[in-house]
Amino acid sequence: MQAKGYAVLAASKPLVPFNFERRELRATDVALEIQYAGICHSDIHQAREEWGPAIFPMVPGHEIAGVVTEVGTGVTKFKVGDRIGVGVFIDSCRKCPSCTAGLEQYCLEGMTGTYNGYERDGKTVAQGGYSNLFVVDQDYAVTVPANLDMAGVAPLLCAGITLYSPLKNWGAGKGKKVGVIGLGGLGHMGVKFSVALGAHTTVFSHSPSKEADAKAMGAHEFVVTKDVANLEALSKDYDLILNTVSADLDLTPYLNLLKLDGTLVLIGLPGKPYEVSTPSLLAQRRSLAGSMIGGIAQTQEMLNFCGEHNIVSDVEVIEPSYINEAYERTVASDVKYRFVIDAAKF
Ligand code: NAP
Ligand code: ZN
Ligand code: ZN
């Protein structure tokens, strides 16, 4: 079917209006009218080839919220009119140990990304959510709770699950001390979830102007990281620190804030590898870990949690023509706290 959206035609070029084909519905597919698509920093990394060679033309976007308009003959999970979401992947092998455990993002054959990759036929280029419509297999879409605002929901499909998953995995909750580095799209969701789970939550930010917002989101402490002395002055009693920074960062001061057996989880994915201080790891048997989005079942769990706790992303809704400026402002950490494209305007 004929779709319209915005695409990057070559690395680092501005996004421009773009018409393209989506596949006709297979038996287990649903079609959705996209209402909102979030702008994730990963879109920018890929549009600018900061993660290596990419596929162009590229329609980015993997934070998709919309309404089902058509269902295939074998669809049982959704019906026309349902509010659904699609995130960072649209398929996986469905049979490896990761897939059968509901951890499709760690599929041993590799998950099928929502864009900048090929579908499982190995030749169809997947195109993402900066577009008016989408087609996806029912098993790779999730249900949006009725009480949540769709613009604020879109970022939950990547930013939300990407922070919810490590918070759950490493047991954030009452009596735990959690730090979130970077109050951006991912980071602000991390703060909301950490607070809702009952953990003592600190924001580490290089933007002093974000303090009031962080506190309004429920953060208990806000530490300005521009001066490393501010970090060194803190007590070394963090259970878990989540690094969501999109740029290179010296991890050592954060490792040093972890208590015995504490964990620093890498979530931000700048192109350049980090340096790791071995003494900082050894000293308190600390761990350095990574975490990537979350599986379909946990994404649904996260959305249900959001429904119960009335959590959505703080968004700036924009028209498609503003995407290029939104990219610049995201890179400059100047967004409160996620740009979301009004897909009715494509
Ligand atoms: P974002 O909205 O741009 O937020 C990144 C935040 O990092 C900024 O708001 C800023 O927070 C901080 N920051 C930026 N530049 C910095 C610098 N030079 N020094 C120190 N802090 C800086 O980006 P995002 O969409 O949240 O994504 C963050 C990263 O996570 C990206 O690299 C993205 O590709 C990656 N990501 C990973 C996964 C995964 O599954 N692991 C999923 C999605 C995205 P302050 O202003 O508060 O300092
Ligand atoms: Zn993302
Ligand atoms: Zn698999």
Side-chain angles (χ1 to χ4, degrees), residues 14 25 45 147 158 215 294 302:
L25 261 60
H45 289 311
N147 59 319
C158 174
K215 295 275 172 69
M302 179 271 311

Short mmCIF file of all heavy atoms in Angstrom, two decimals, residues 14 25 45 147 158 215 294 302:
data_model
loop_
_atom_site.label_atom_id
_atom_site.label_comp_id
_atom_site.label_asym_id
_atom_site.label_seq_id
_atom_site.Cartn_x
_atom_site.Cartn_y
_atom_site.Cartn_z
N PRO A 14 19.49 16.28 5.08
CA PRO A 14 18.23 16.59 5.78
C PRO A 14 17.12 15.62 5.38
O PRO A 14 17.17 15.04 4.30
CB PRO A 14 17.89 18.00 5.27
CG PRO A 14 19.03 18.47 4.47
CD PRO A 14 19.93 17.32 4.16
N LEU A 25 -1.28 -6.58 3.36
CA LEU A 25 -1.41 -7.36 4.59
C LEU A 25 -1.26 -8.86 4.34
O LEU A 25 -1.92 -9.41 3.46
CB LEU A 25 -2.78 -7.10 5.23
CG LEU A 25 -2.79 -6.09 6.37
CD1 LEU A 25 -2.29 -4.74 5.91
CD2 LEU A 25 -4.17 -6.00 6.97
N HIS A 45 21.56 8.96 15.24
CA HIS A 45 22.80 8.20 15.07
C HIS A 45 22.80 7.47 13.72
O HIS A 45 23.80 7.44 13.01
CB HIS A 45 22.95 7.13 16.16
CG HIS A 45 23.25 7.63 17.55
ND1 HIS A 45 24.25 8.54 17.83
CD2 HIS A 45 22.71 7.30 18.76
CE1 HIS A 45 24.29 8.75 19.14
NE2 HIS A 45 23.37 8.01 19.73
N ASN A 147 -6.46 4.96 28.93
CA ASN A 147 -6.40 6.26 29.61
C ASN A 147 -5.19 7.10 29.22
O ASN A 147 -5.04 8.23 29.68
CB ASN A 147 -6.37 6.04 31.13
CG ASN A 147 -5.19 5.19 31.59
OD1 ASN A 147 -4.83 4.21 30.96
ND2 ASN A 147 -4.56 5.58 32.69
N CYS A 158 10.07 3.03 22.70
CA CYS A 158 11.53 2.80 22.77
C CYS A 158 12.06 3.36 24.08
O CYS A 158 12.51 2.62 24.94
CB CYS A 158 12.28 3.38 21.58
SG CYS A 158 14.08 3.22 21.80
N LYS A 215 12.97 17.46 39.33
CA LYS A 215 12.29 17.39 40.64
C LYS A 215 10.79 17.22 40.43
O LYS A 215 10.14 16.46 41.15
CB LYS A 215 12.59 18.67 41.45
CG LYS A 215 14.07 18.82 41.84
CD LYS A 215 14.39 18.07 43.13
CE LYS A 215 15.86 18.01 43.48
NZ LYS A 215 16.46 19.29 43.86
N GLY A 294 13.56 -3.92 25.23
CA GLY A 294 12.90 -4.94 26.03
C GLY A 294 12.06 -5.78 25.09
O GLY A 294 11.77 -5.37 23.96
N MET A 302 5.12 -2.93 30.62
CA MET A 302 5.48 -1.53 30.84
C MET A 302 4.30 -0.61 30.54
O MET A 302 4.00 0.31 31.30
CB MET A 302 6.70 -1.20 29.97
CG MET A 302 7.23 0.21 30.01
SD MET A 302 6.52 1.38 28.81
CE MET A 302 6.61 0.51 27.27
#
